[in-house]
Amino acid sequence: MKSLKRATVRRRRGRRRISVLFLVLAVLVGTAFAASAAGPDGRRPRPESLAPAANVSRVGLADWAKAHLAADTRRRTAPRSPVTSLLSTVTDTVRRLLEAAPPATTSTLVLYDTAGPYGYLGELYAMATANLGGHFGTVTAKPVSQYTAGMLGQYTAAVYLGSTYYGGGIPDAVPAAFYQDVQASTTPVTWVGDNIWNMGNAVGAGPFTQKYGWDPTTSYFEDGGSVGNVTQVSYGGQTLTRKIPAGQDGGVLRPNILTGAGYPAVTKVAEALDSASGKTFPWAVRSANLTYVGELPFVYVSESDRVIAFEDMLYDALAPGTAARHRAMVRLEDISPDSDPAQLRAMADYLYSQRIPYGINVIPVYTDPRGVYNGGTPQTVTLAQRPQVVSALKYMLARGAVLMEHGYTHQYGNVDNPYTGVTGDDFEFYRAHVDAANNVVYDGPVAEDSTAWAQSRITAGLAAFATAGLPRPQLWTTPHYAASATDYRVFAQNYPSRLERSLYFAGTLSGGTADPNRFIGQFFPYVVNDVYGTKVLPENIGNYEPVAYNNHPPRLPADLIASAKANLAVRDGFASFFYHPYYPVQPLKDTIDGIKALGYTFVSPAAL
């Protein structure tokens, strides 16, 4: 996923200074960001980039898509042989386990693939799914190869993520017991992506079609020799986007739904539009205990993407009685000792007049170690040295604000990381550089990264707040939304919640060493308890950014409102965004008015 905090330019004491934001986009190839347009003063905006959300980092998705479709072509052309149903092997003991009452608390079993050249993708997608499951209750995630007979009956619902196409040179790693249990059980199962046809063959096409009403053994990812150009998914009354770069689309399975006597009705949960042909077909279907989603929805996502449909569909399996409720949140971003007190007060006055609670992300120490914005003279300023800024912060707190810590200095040392080394411009807990093509590349944790180092940053930051006479911040937001797995666990030891988008590293589920080169970035439509053991509050519609950058157009109030509208598809979801207080009040007002008009109610991050 491409994720960036967008570059911005602001006027401060007669000069302009760049501050960076960002928004997470999706699983993508590498961590590249193209050159951006210059800002209004001629200075190039500096994107605050978070590696792709689902950045299956440095994976050639074009190669993955090619291999995926080649395997599906082989399946289509392979001779079909009679298959004996395995259902008769389900023992009475297993059947009793499957029919037992589900646990008292909501629990989710997430199963994922680990085999094949792209086997590591399974854990990344499983972490993303487990995080979403953490909204509903407890989650157990394990490789599907570890499934044992009767396990389904121990959980409220299960999700299987088919990310490895089994067949040809990759033997099927899904235990026969899982196929049998899905067929025999009433436990809700959400099957995502590949290998549903293997279940059809294993249990027998007849029993499968008679229970579910469609035939996965004659369902394929291509229609007329092409995956087409699926650009939209309709779900919950909303039109969601789907934007996959050419050559990297593994396709969406087109289910062969059967009609006539003996076949149950199949609910088309979501519909895909193939813009190449103008045809629509089911993106997700449901019958009996099985919900099938025709692709892995974590690849190349945005704030209005079809992943929203998957996020809401989990309610059907885990909390079907949930009533519709739409809440919104706003936070003011990148406030530091160098901020303009008058601008802060103006924002506070507007939000207070509208009775809107909000978060304020405060960086307690501002530093420009090489004097980039100070005529070559190094400068470091603490909150205690800016009493007018502290007074403005207290003014905000008295008018509905919630104090949040946004790192210690929001930069790293006296080096470009990757831009200027100045507070607000650079990463603090992660290294990055800009390559010759103006791409931002994530290099991994900082050299000093450790539990003690990360804790020292937080401890120093908290001391700076206390010295300035401010209360202890209630929440944490990671600078540029990027840190190591070690850092995230340190944040959890100091704060009960984070409000942000986050990176999740391979090795986390297996208990191994986190791999800094393989991770998935994610943002959420609702509050979750993630795989690091932390409550994470959502930021899912991005931020106002009037300047184009990195081949991305400006993001204006209308764009944020459109993303909020798409997220109405989540029955109990949020529209959460951030805003930089050095911008005028009017775009903030326009955004808030538009979100409220959609039926959202603004709530305090401290109330979640």
Side-chain angles (χ1 to χ4, degrees):
M1 109 194 157
K2 300 180 289 188
S3 57
L4 326 167
K5 231 182 181 184
R6 301 179 176 231
T8 60
V9 181
R10 63 173 174 146
R11 186 177 297 278
R12 179 82 171 96
R13 291 198 296 272
R15 60 177 166 81
R16 290 191 186 262
R17 183 157 67 80
I18 293 169
S19 177
V20 281
L21 328 168
F22 83 99
L23 61 97
V24 177
L25 297 181
V27 162
L28 69 113
V29 188
T31 52
F33 303 96
S36 59
D41 64 350
R43 186 190 298 276
R44 183 177 299 281
R46 303 191 187 281
E48 178 171 8
S49 43
L50 165 75
N55 170 0
V56 284
S57 67
R58 304 184 175 92
V59 158
L61 287 186
D63 293 338
W64 171 85
K66 182 179 179 180
H68 184 258
L69 294 175
D72 207 51
T73 298
R74 288 193 297 271
R75 179 170 67 92
R76 184 192 291 266
T77 57
R80 296 172 61 81
S81 56
V83 178
T84 302
S85 170
L86 298 175
L87 284 182
S88 60
T89 65
V90 178
T91 66
D92 289 340
T93 299
V94 169
R95 194 177 302 279
R96 284 196 297 271
L97 286 172
L98 293 174
E99 294 174 352
T105 58
T106 300
S107 58
T108 307
L109 174 64
V110 176
L111 301 169
Y112 59 95
D113 293 326
T114 55
Y118 299 102
Y120 65 88
L121 292 178
E123 184 185 12
L124 300 181
Y125 299 139
M127 285 190 289
T129 304
N131 290 336
L132 296 173
H135 173 68
F136 301 93
T138 62
V139 181
T140 299
K142 59 178 59 187
V144 68
S145 59
Q146 297 179 11
Y147 183 87
T148 57
M151 193 177 286
L152 271 185
Q154 302 170 31
Y155 298 90
T156 307
V159 180
Y160 166 60
L161 301 156
S163 60
T164 295
Y165 197 119
Y166 294 124
I170 306 178
D172 191 354
V174 179
F178 181 63
Y179 295 140
Q180 298 165 24
D181 286 359
V182 174
Q183 177 79 14
S185 176
T186 58
T187 299
V189 175
T190 301
W191 192 302
V192 185
D194 292 344
N195 305 317
I196 186 68
W197 47 87
N198 289 338
M199 175 179 164
N201 285 324
V203 304
F208 187 101
T209 58
Q210 289 163 16
K211 181 172 182 178
Y212 298 117
W214 64 287
D215 185 359
T217 68
T218 55
S219 300
Y220 305 98
F221 289 94
E222 293 183 324
D223 180 26
S226 169
V227 297
N229 184 25
V230 178
T231 58
Q232 294 180 358
V233 172
S234 298
Y235 176 82
Q238 303 300 325
T239 299
L240 309 175
T241 58
R242 182 181 186 271
K243 299 178 181 179
I244 310 293
Q248 297 186 32
D249 191 351
V252 179
L253 192 81
R254 302 170 188 241
N256 179 19
I257 297 176
L258 307 175
T259 58
Y263 297 118
V266 176
T267 299
K268 299 176 182 179
V269 180
E271 287 249 323
L273 169 66
D274 182 350
S275 294
S277 65
K279 296 179 181 178
T280 60
F281 63 93
W283 185 80
V285 294
R286 179 178 297 127
S287 50
N289 66 317
L290 180 66
T291 298
Y292 175 75
V293 180
E295 65 166 336
L296 290 152
F298 301 112
V299 181
Y300 288 106
V301 304
S302 71
E303 290 85 353
S304 303
D305 187 80
R306 85 285 196 202
V307 72
I308 292 170
F310 178 73
E311 291 163 345
D312 181 73
M313 285 161 51
L314 294 177
Y315 278 100
D316 294 323
L318 294 163
T322 302
R325 178 174 55 167
H326 303 293
R327 291 174 286 177
M329 285 194 300
V330 58
R331 75 174 193 260
L332 300 180
E333 186 79 351
D334 287 343
I335 299 169
S336 80
D338 196 44
S339 295
D340 185 334
Q343 292 173 333
L344 299 180
R345 288 176 180 269
M347 291 289 164
D349 287 341
Y350 162 66
L351 292 167
Y352 184 68
S353 73
Q354 299 300 304
R355 298 298 186 267
I356 293 176
Y358 58 101
I360 50 174
N361 255 355
V362 180
I363 308 160
V365 175
Y366 169 85
T367 185
D368 181 353
R370 293 177 298 170
V372 173
Y373 301 127
N374 197 42
T377 300
Q379 181 185 33
T380 296
V381 184
T382 68
L383 283 170
Q385 293 170 322
R386 289 290 186 266
Q388 290 184 326
V389 172
V390 173
S391 177
L393 293 175
K394 292 179 178 179
Y395 184 84
M396 301 172 91
L397 293 175
R399 286 160 177 78
V402 174
L403 185 61
M404 303 163 55
E405 183 174 0
H406 192 30
Y408 175 45
T409 62
H410 203 314
Q411 55 80 239
Y412 174 70
N414 63 354
V415 298
D416 296 345
N417 190 35
Y419 302 116
T420 65
V422 180
T423 289
D425 283 5
D426 281 11
F427 293 79
E428 181 172 353
F429 292 89
Y430 219 73
R431 290 306 309 270
H433 73 275
V434 179
D435 68 15
N438 280 323
N439 298 320
V440 176
V441 179
Y442 281 61
D443 298 319
V446 300
E448 307 94 323
D449 189 57
S450 66
T451 297
W453 180 83
Q455 183 60 57
S456 73
R457 308 293 290 182
I458 295 178
T459 300
L462 291 174
F465 282 109
T467 300
L470 289 166
R472 193 186 197 282
Q474 298 184 52
L475 300 164
W476 170 270
T477 299
T478 306
H480 287 4
Y481 294 158
S484 71
T486 295
D487 300 335
Y488 284 118
R489 292 189 173 95
V490 172
F491 304 154
Q493 292 169 7
N494 289 270
Y495 287 97
S497 304
R498 305 193 313 268
L499 197 171
E500 63 178 20
R501 307 176 179 199
S502 305
L503 300 181
Y504 298 95
F505 296 87
T508 299
L509 293 183
S510 62
T513 302
D515 185 342
N517 293 315
R518 290 178 174 172
F519 54 87
I520 186 167
Q522 192 175 16
F523 52 90
F524 307 105
Y526 33 63
V527 178
V528 306
N529 291 300
D530 74 0
V531 295
Y532 296 135
T534 310
K535 179 188 291 186
V536 183
L537 310 188
E539 185 276 280
N540 62 326
I541 66 171
N543 62 284
Y544 170 74
E545 177 47 63
V547 179
Y549 78 102
N550 285 64
N551 295 321
H552 294 285
R555 190 160 175 80
L556 303 177
D559 300 303
L560 274 71
I561 295 165
S563 293
K565 184 176 185 298
N567 276 275
L568 288 172
V570 181
R571 67 198 70 181
D572 187 10
F574 282 79
S576 179
F577 71 104
F578 62 92
Y579 193 87
H580 286 76
Y582 45 75
Y583 285 127
V585 173
Q586 189 60 47
L588 176 62
K589 179 181 185 300
D590 293 342
T591 304
I592 286 176
D593 287 348
I595 291 175
K596 289 170 69 174
L598 292 171
Y600 285 93
T601 300
F602 279 85
V603 297
S604 170
L608 301 176

